[in-house]
Amino acid sequence: QQQVKQSPQSLIVQKGGISIINCAYENTAFDYFPWYQQFPGKGPALLIAIRPDVSEKKEGRFTISFNKSAKQFSLHIMDSQPGDSATYFCAARGLSKAAGNKLTFGGGTRVLVKP
Amino acid sequence: DAGITQSPRHKVTETGTPVTLRCHQTENHRYMYWYRQDPGHGLRLIHYSYGVKDTDKGEVSDGYSVSRSKTEDFLLTLESATSSQTSVYFCAISNAGGAGYTFGSGTRLTVV
């Protein structure tokens, strides 16, 4: 039933490298695609988000790329730092009001940045 | 997590007992959600609320019930706890614009 598939499940990158996380969705009735970052023992926190009418959004070292026709979107973390070590979740929001603004989440990616 | 508080933070309970988790917000947001987080499954929606006394089921609602008698509080009840309900439970809130969720710090529940 999972409508948002996320890969990889885990990722190890050297400090200064690029982390790339991919998500694919199966339902076209989504209108908003956020990414969340979660540190151990904490709740997820909104990192960056994109709407489907935009192909790319950049905030600092974090960039979302969105491919509407392929129903795919990805998170790139440039110049990865040890402080970026966390679990990242992609999500998609249902389009209709009946969807109750619900977010459907991917399975998560644990990122470890080695110094 | 400003504006949203979950209680308790940790709980150990026995199989078959009822358990209630509380989510309290001070943001006056319309929408409130309960998710569970399990390894490999990400965050899965249990129940959500779109207003006082207005609730609906999510994808993993079996064995759970919710209540929202006032805007600021959203309660999740495990009617008869089972070991499969051992998990970390997160509450989230969202305003009418739905620009994103704010999550609580979570409740780690262990059913023994």
Side-chain angles (χ1 to χ4, degrees):
Chain A
Q1 190 175 357
Q2 189 178 21
Q3 294 181 312
V4 179
K5 296 183 179 179
Q6 183 172 346
S7 63
Q9 287 190 333
S10 63
L11 178 61
I12 299 174
V13 62
Q14 293 295 129
K15 179 182 176 181
I18 302 174
S19 303
I20 301 174
I21 306 170
N22 299 300
C23 284
Y25 61 99
E26 302 173 359
N27 185 337
T28 56
F30 293 132
D31 69 342
Y32 174 76
F33 300 87
W35 286 86
Y36 284 80
Q37 179 187 54
Q38 183 183 32
F39 294 106
K42 302 291 185 181
L46 180 63
L47 181 64
I48 186 173
I50 197 168
R51 298 189 185 275
D53 54 347
V54 176
S55 62
E56 185 175 284
K57 184 174 182 180
K58 182 177 181 180
E59 289 184 1
R61 296 184 293 106
F62 300 91
T63 300
I64 302 176
S65 297
F66 188 83
N67 186 331
K68 188 174 182 178
S69 60
K71 298 181 187 177
Q72 295 176 346
F73 56 111
S74 60
L75 177 69
H76 291 61
I77 307 174
M78 313 299 287
D79 187 25
S80 296
Q81 299 297 311
D84 297 331
S85 297
T87 299
Y88 294 82
F89 293 96
C90 63
R93 184 181 70 182
L95 177 61
S96 69
K97 289 183 178 180
N101 283 344
K102 298 191 302 292
L103 290 178
T104 300
F105 287 85
T109 298
R110 183 173 290 185
V111 175
L112 176 63
V113 182
K114 290 192 169 183
Chain B
D1 300 293
I4 179 170
T5 306
Q6 289 185 236
S7 59
R9 289 296 313 275
H10 302 271
K11 186 170 181 66
V12 180
T13 192
E14 293 185 349
T15 299
T17 61
V19 178
T20 296
L21 309 183
R22 181 184 185 232
C23 179
H24 178 78
Q25 63 145 329
T26 58
E27 303 296 320
N28 200 35
H29 284 346
R30 176 183 177 188
Y31 298 94
M32 299 185 75
Y33 311 84
W34 277 107
Y35 282 83
R36 60 178 289 174
Q37 183 175 15
D38 304 288
H41 292 277
L43 293 151
R44 293 181 292 172
L45 182 64
I46 304 171
H47 281 281
Y48 69 101
S49 170
Y50 47 95
V52 173
K53 298 186 179 179
D54 291 323
T55 64
D56 206 349
K57 296 178 179 180
E59 62 177 306
V60 290
S61 60
D62 288 348
Y64 302 94
S65 62
V66 290
S67 66
R68 191 172 179 196
S69 60
K70 44 187 178 178
T71 299
E72 56 266 36
D73 288 326
F74 192 32
L75 304 180
L76 176 70
T77 298
L78 287 65
E79 294 142 8
S80 177
T82 67
S83 58
S84 65
Q85 293 176 313
T86 292
S87 185
V88 180
Y89 291 86
F90 285 99
C91 176
I93 60 175
S94 174
N95 62 24
Y101 288 1
T102 299
F103 280 90
S105 298
T107 295
R108 182 173 294 277
L109 177 68
T110 303
V111 183
V112 298

